[in-house]
Coordinates of all heavy atoms in Angstrom, one line a residue:
H650 N 159.0 -130.6 -9.7 CA 158.9 -129.1 -10.0 C 159.9 -128.7 -11.1 O 160.6 -127.7 -10.9 CB 159.1 -128.4 -8.7 CG 158.3 -128.8 -7.6 ND1 156.9 -128.6 -7.5 CD2 158.6 -129.5 -6.4 CE1 156.5 -129.2 -6.4 NE2 157.5 -129.7 -5.7
L651 N 159.9 -129.5 -12.2 CA 160.7 -129.2 -13.3 C 162.2 -129.2 -13.1 O 163.0 -128.6 -13.8 CB 160.3 -127.8 -14.0 CG 158.8 -127.7 -14.3 CD1 158.6 -126.3 -14.9 CD2 158.4 -128.8 -15.3
S652 N 162.6 -129.9 -12.0 CA 164.1 -130.0 -11.7 C 164.4 -131.5 -11.8 O 164.4 -132.3 -10.8 CB 164.4 -129.5 -10.3 OG 165.7 -129.7 -10.0
C653 N 164.8 -131.9 -13.0 CA 165.1 -133.3 -13.3 C 166.2 -133.9 -12.5 O 166.2 -135.1 -12.2 CB 165.4 -133.5 -14.8 SG 164.1 -132.9 -15.9
F654 N 167.2 -133.1 -12.1 CA 168.3 -133.5 -11.3 C 168.3 -133.2 -9.9 O 169.2 -133.4 -9.1 CB 169.6 -133.0 -12.0 CG 169.9 -133.4 -13.4 CD1 169.6 -132.6 -14.4 CD2 170.4 -134.7 -13.6 CE1 169.8 -133.0 -15.7 CE2 170.6 -135.1 -14.9 CZ 170.3 -134.3 -16.0
G655 N 167.1 -132.6 -9.5 CA 167.0 -132.1 -8.1 C 166.2 -133.0 -7.2 O 165.7 -132.6 -6.1
C656 N 166.1 -134.3 -7.6 CA 165.3 -135.2 -6.8 C 165.9 -135.5 -5.4 O 167.1 -135.5 -5.3 CB 165.1 -136.5 -7.5 SG 164.5 -136.3 -9.3
D657 N 165.1 -135.7 -4.4 CA 165.6 -135.9 -3.0 C 166.4 -137.1 -2.9 O 167.3 -137.2 -2.1 CB 164.4 -135.8 -2.0 CG 163.8 -134.4 -2.0 OD1 164.5 -133.5 -2.2 OD2 162.6 -134.3 -1.7
E658 N 166.0 -138.2 -3.5 CA 166.6 -139.5 -3.4 C 166.5 -140.3 -4.6 O 165.6 -140.1 -5.4 CB 166.1 -140.2 -2.2 CG 164.6 -140.4 -2.2 CD 164.1 -141.1 -0.9 OE1 164.6 -140.8 0.2 OE2 163.1 -141.8 -1.0
G659 N 167.3 -141.3 -4.8 CA 167.2 -142.2 -5.9 C 167.7 -141.8 -7.2 O 167.5 -142.3 -8.2
G660 N 168.5 -140.7 -7.2 CA 169.1 -140.2 -8.4 C 168.2 -139.3 -9.2 O 167.2 -138.8 -8.7
P661 N 168.5 -139.1 -10.5 CA 167.7 -138.2 -11.3 C 166.3 -138.7 -11.5 O 166.0 -139.9 -11.1 CB 168.5 -138.2 -12.7 CG 169.8 -138.7 -12.3 CD 169.7 -139.6 -11.2
C662 N 165.4 -137.9 -12.1 CA 164.0 -138.2 -12.3 C 163.9 -139.5 -13.1 O 164.6 -139.8 -14.1 CB 163.3 -137.1 -13.0 SG 161.6 -137.4 -13.4
E663 N 162.9 -140.3 -12.7 CA 162.7 -141.6 -13.3 C 162.2 -141.5 -14.7 O 162.2 -142.4 -15.5 CB 161.7 -142.5 -12.5 CG 160.3 -141.9 -12.4 CD 160.1 -141.0 -11.2 OE1 161.2 -140.4 -10.7 OE2 159.0 -140.8 -10.8
H664 N 161.6 -140.3 -15.1 CA 161.1 -140.1 -16.4 C 162.1 -139.5 -17.4 O 161.8 -139.3 -18.6 CB 159.9 -139.1 -16.3 CG 158.8 -139.6 -15.5 ND1 158.0 -140.6 -15.8 CD2 158.3 -139.1 -14.2 CE1 157.1 -140.8 -14.8 NE2 157.3 -139.9 -13.9
L665 N 163.3 -139.2 -16.9 CA 164.3 -138.6 -17.8 C 165.2 -139.6 -18.5 O 165.6 -140.6 -17.9 CB 165.3 -137.7 -16.9 CG 166.5 -137.1 -17.6 CD1 166.0 -136.1 -18.7 CD2 167.4 -136.4 -16.6
E666 N 165.3 -139.4 -19.8 CA 166.2 -140.2 -20.6 C 167.1 -139.3 -21.4 O 166.7 -138.3 -22.0 CB 165.4 -141.1 -21.6 CG 164.6 -142.2 -21.0 CD 165.6 -143.3 -20.5 OE1 166.5 -143.7 -21.2 OE2 165.3 -143.8 -19.3
V667 N 168.4 -139.6 -21.4 CA 169.4 -138.8 -22.1 C 170.0 -139.6 -23.2 O 170.4 -140.7 -23.0 CB 170.5 -138.3 -21.1 CG1 171.6 -137.6 -21.9 CG2 169.9 -137.4 -20.0
D668 N 170.0 -139.0 -24.4 CA 170.5 -139.7 -25.6 C 172.0 -139.4 -25.8 O 172.3 -138.2 -26.0 CB 169.7 -139.3 -26.9 CG 170.0 -140.1 -28.1 OD1 171.0 -140.9 -28.0 OD2 169.4 -139.9 -29.1
T669 N 172.8 -140.4 -25.7 CA 174.3 -140.1 -25.8 C 174.7 -139.8 -27.2 O 175.8 -139.3 -27.4 CB 175.1 -141.4 -25.3 OG1 174.7 -142.5 -26.1 CG2 174.8 -141.6 -23.8
N670 N 173.8 -140.0 -28.2 CA 174.1 -139.6 -29.6 C 173.7 -138.1 -29.8 O 174.1 -137.6 -30.9 CB 173.3 -140.4 -30.6 CG 173.8 -141.9 -30.6 OD1 175.0 -142.1 -30.5 ND2 172.8 -142.8 -30.7
N671 N 173.1 -137.5 -28.8 CA 172.7 -136.1 -29.0 C 173.7 -135.2 -28.3 O 173.7 -135.1 -27.0 CB 171.2 -135.9 -28.4 CG 170.7 -134.6 -28.7 OD1 171.3 -133.5 -28.7 ND2 169.4 -134.6 -29.0
Q672 N 174.5 -134.5 -29.0 CA 175.5 -133.7 -28.5 C 174.9 -132.5 -27.7 O 175.5 -132.1 -26.7 CB 176.5 -133.1 -29.5 CG 177.7 -132.4 -29.0 CD 178.6 -133.2 -28.2 OE1 178.9 -134.4 -28.5 NE2 179.0 -132.7 -27.0
G673 N 173.7 -132.1 -28.1 CA 173.1 -131.0 -27.4 C 172.7 -131.4 -25.9 O 172.9 -130.6 -25.0
H674 N 172.3 -132.7 -25.7 CA 172.0 -133.2 -24.4 C 173.3 -133.2 -23.5 O 173.3 -132.7 -22.4 CB 171.5 -134.6 -24.5 CG 170.1 -134.7 -25.0 ND1 169.4 -135.9 -25.2 CD2 169.2 -133.7 -25.4 CE1 168.2 -135.7 -25.7 NE2 168.1 -134.4 -25.9
I675 N 174.4 -133.6 -24.1 CA 175.6 -133.7 -23.4 C 176.1 -132.3 -23.0 O 176.6 -132.1 -21.9 CB 176.7 -134.5 -24.2 CG1 176.2 -135.9 -24.5 CG2 178.0 -134.5 -23.5 CD1 177.1 -136.7 -25.4
D676 N 176.1 -131.4 -24.0 CA 176.5 -130.0 -23.7 C 175.7 -129.4 -22.6 O 176.2 -128.7 -21.7 CB 176.4 -129.2 -25.0 CG 177.4 -129.6 -26.0 OD1 178.3 -130.3 -25.7 OD2 177.2 -129.2 -27.2
E677 N 174.4 -129.6 -22.6 CA 173.5 -129.0 -21.6 C 173.8 -129.5 -20.2 O 173.8 -128.8 -19.2 CB 172.1 -129.2 -22.0 CG 171.1 -128.5 -21.0 CD 171.1 -127.0 -21.0 OE1 171.7 -126.4 -21.9 OE2 170.6 -126.4 -20.0
I678 N 174.0 -130.9 -20.1 CA 174.3 -131.5 -18.8 C 175.7 -131.0 -18.3 O 175.8 -130.7 -17.1 CB 174.3 -133.0 -18.9 CG1 172.8 -133.5 -19.2 CG2 174.8 -133.7 -17.7 CD1 172.7 -134.9 -19.5
T679 N 176.6 -130.9 -19.2 CA 177.9 -130.3 -18.8 C 177.8 -128.9 -18.3 O 178.5 -128.5 -17.3 CB 178.9 -130.4 -20.0 OG1 179.0 -131.7 -20.5 CG2 180.3 -129.9 -19.6
R680 N 176.9 -128.1 -19.0 CA 176.7 -126.7 -18.5 C 176.1 -126.7 -17.1 O 176.5 -125.9 -16.3 CB 175.8 -126.0 -19.5 CG 175.6 -124.5 -19.2 CD 174.5 -123.9 -20.1 NE 173.2 -124.4 -19.8 CZ 172.5 -124.1 -18.7 NH1 172.9 -123.2 -17.9 NH2 171.3 -124.6 -18.5

Side-chain angles (χ1 to χ4, degrees):
H650 310 289
L651 304 180
S652 181
C653 302
F654 297 100
C656 309
D657 291 334
E658 55 185 32
C662 176
E663 66 273 20
H664 301 290
L665 175 66
E666 289 290 315
V667 175
D668 188 353
T669 56
N670 290 321
N671 190 319
Q672 188 60 43
H674 289 178
I675 299 173
D676 291 345
E677 182 65 16
I678 293 173
T679 304
R680 185 190 67 78

